[in-house]
Amino acid sequence: MSGRVSSDQSRWIGVGRSADPDPAQAAREAAGAALQGPDARLLLVFCSTAYDAAALLEAVAAVAPGVAVVGCSTAGEIATSGPAESSVVITALGGPGFSIATAVARDAPADLRQAGAEAAACISSIEEREHRALLLLTDGLAGDQTLIVRGAYSVVGAQVPLVGGCAGDDLRMSRTHQFHGREVLSGAVVAAAIGSDAPLGIGVRHGWRRVGDPMLITRSAQNRVHEIEGRPALDVYFERLAAPAEVRTDSAAFVRFAQVHPLGLASRSEEHVRFIGDADFEQRTLGCIAEVPQGALAWLMEGDYSSVLEATDAACQDALEALGAAPPLGLLAFDCIARRGVLGDEGIRDEVQRVVARGGGAPVAGFYTYGEIARTRGINGFHNQTLVVLALA
């Protein structure tokens, strides 16, 4: 069990972690470490799929009755003490300086855009505060996540930034879970509207570089890429990367390989990275976590230890600069599992240490995701293979 808390007179943030294999005990330990102040307003629960999530949430509710709870399953957990697997990390926000409202949209795949809008509607329930943000936790396996972001944007507009990530399932790529109160859901969007008396800052960087010549996406449908340069997309992908034999026939080996070989899409304002989550070996197509438009110009991407950690430093700096002169009370990190594939075990420890150091020792929490949400301008706001940092003053 580990914990860290930071506070001022009106707001406080605490983070607790437990790796106890019993879900009820893990919940008690992590929530107890996080709840270090009065008037708790929100608990964020990030946990491995190794846990019985229903039992874990029941125990959280017993420790903090009446406190709003949102969260999700992960592909690894992040806390001030470092990264881990098979653990639960709980973050508590408390004090009258925060105003919180939550919502859930079930059965998101039926209408992803509507689900984003439905979850975002909780923004109207928070007290009027100078600083606001909408935290979204989604099912990254449910379809094109850009539609969820567009739906949320249609409700909150340009004045409220969006931040968050897609739930994971420890890289099984089969079923993720989202939490709202005591509910354990799949195919859902959960949201927490956060109002604060002090600034909130968001940083987003990826650290990937283009490799080789550009490619034209000649046939695609939503998040499925059928053809590149008029040929089966999977064949072009394998040829360009000289993929080893096992990657060409084994789904698990392909996912591990694709983690560190994403697609990059050009846009007028920025470059978007697309995580390739699966391959159809019969149809010779690629499945991405978000839309890959037909006619788009794309590149294969690569990163290394240095470029990924440089992006970590930059994301933290951007988030903290948005706070002005105010010191951070805490930082939330939504870190793509593919970046973990580049960094390795030693590298992810270094990365979390960098985030903690940049925050001046303020508590840090988060999880490894299947996609990241960060919209501070424009309507685009879904990212892959990126680090998103939310700093709260």
Side-chain angles (χ1 to χ4, degrees):
M1 179 181 70
S2 62
R4 188 69 177 270
V5 66
S6 179
S7 67
D8 71 0
Q9 292 182 345
S10 66
R11 298 172 315 285
W12 59 267
I13 296 176
V15 173
R17 161 188 277 154
S18 175
D20 192 293
D22 178 74
Q25 182 60 23
R28 287 189 289 266
E29 290 182 356
L35 290 164
Q36 295 295 314
D39 191 20
R41 300 292 179 98
L42 175 67
L43 294 180
L44 302 173
V45 179
F46 304 136
C47 74
S48 165
T49 54
Y51 286 104
D52 178 336
L56 190 147
L57 293 178
E58 285 293 332
V60 169
V63 172
V67 179
V69 175
V70 298
C72 63
S73 59
T74 73
E77 303 78 50
I78 296 169
T80 316
S81 56
E85 298 176 342
S86 301
S87 72
V88 55
V89 171
I90 297 180
T91 306
L93 278 63
F98 284 122
S99 177
I100 302 293
T102 69
V104 58
R106 302 170 182 83
D107 193 22
D111 190 334
L112 292 168
R113 186 184 178 103
Q114 177 58 34
E118 182 180 338
C122 64
I123 195 72
S124 64
S125 299
I126 61 172
E127 302 166 9
E128 189 64 33
R129 301 294 172 97
E130 182 178 356
H131 307 282
R132 295 181 297 167
L134 184 71
L135 174 66
L136 293 169
L137 301 171
T138 72
D139 185 344
L141 305 180
D144 183 3
Q145 301 293 298
T146 60
L147 295 174
I148 295 173
V149 174
R150 289 170 189 166
Y153 178 84
S154 73
V155 172
V156 304
Q159 300 305 310
V160 178
L162 307 176
V163 66
C166 299
D169 65 347
D170 295 317
L171 272 181
R172 294 182 181 88
M173 305 301 289
S174 60
R175 189 181 190 191
T176 74
H177 294 106
Q178 300 76 50
F179 311 145
H180 185 255
R182 299 185 184 189
E183 285 189 281
V184 180
L185 304 158
S186 288
V189 178
V190 297
I194 302 173
S196 177
D197 293 340
L200 307 169
I202 296 173
V204 51
R205 297 293 183 98
H206 60 70
W208 299 89
R209 300 183 297 263
R210 295 177 180 179
V211 177
D213 296 328
M215 309 176 296
L216 185 65
I217 305 298
T218 47
R219 188 160 71 92
S220 65
Q222 297 182 336
N223 60 327
R224 199 90 211 163
V225 183
H226 295 272
E227 292 183 359
I228 298 174
E229 301 286 347
R231 298 179 55 221
L234 186 60
D235 294 345
V236 175
Y237 183 75
F238 285 156
E239 288 175 14
R240 291 259 186 148
L241 294 170
E246 65 272 16
V247 171
R248 297 170 183 257
T249 57
D250 181 83
S251 296
F254 176 85
V255 169
R256 292 191 295 270
F257 182 79
Q259 281 185 61
V260 294
H261 297 95
L263 286 178
L265 302 179
S267 73
R268 285 180 292 180
S269 59
E270 60 183 320
E271 191 168 64
H272 292 273
V273 182
R274 286 291 175 260
F275 175 63
I276 301 172
D278 73 272
D280 187 322
F281 296 117
E282 293 185 0
Q283 300 297 319
R284 314 306 290 170
T285 64
L286 297 169
C288 297
I289 297 297
E291 181 186 18
V292 178
Q294 186 165 301
L297 202 60
W299 283 264
L300 295 174
M301 307 287 283
E302 70 176 7
D304 57 30
Y305 195 96
S306 295
S307 69
V308 170
L309 288 182
E310 286 170 4
T312 299
D313 291 337
C316 290
Q317 182 175 341
D318 291 346
L320 293 168
E321 284 181 351
L323 302 185
L329 280 184
L331 294 92
L332 295 177
F334 305 94
D335 200 356
C336 186
I337 186 61
R339 288 167 50 87
R340 184 176 181 175
V342 173
L343 292 173
D345 291 343
E346 180 180 350
I348 61 173
R349 287 192 292 268
D350 187 5
E351 180 177 45
V352 176
Q353 288 171 1
R354 285 174 181 238
V355 175
V356 173
R358 287 274 180 171
V364 172
F367 68 99
Y368 292 99
T369 72
Y370 287 173
E372 303 75 54
I373 295 168
R375 191 218 58 82
T376 56
R377 65 181 187 278
I379 62 171
N380 293 319
F382 183 71
H383 307 267
N384 287 149
Q385 307 192 233
T386 296
L387 171 66
V388 170
V389 176
L390 171 64
L392 302 97

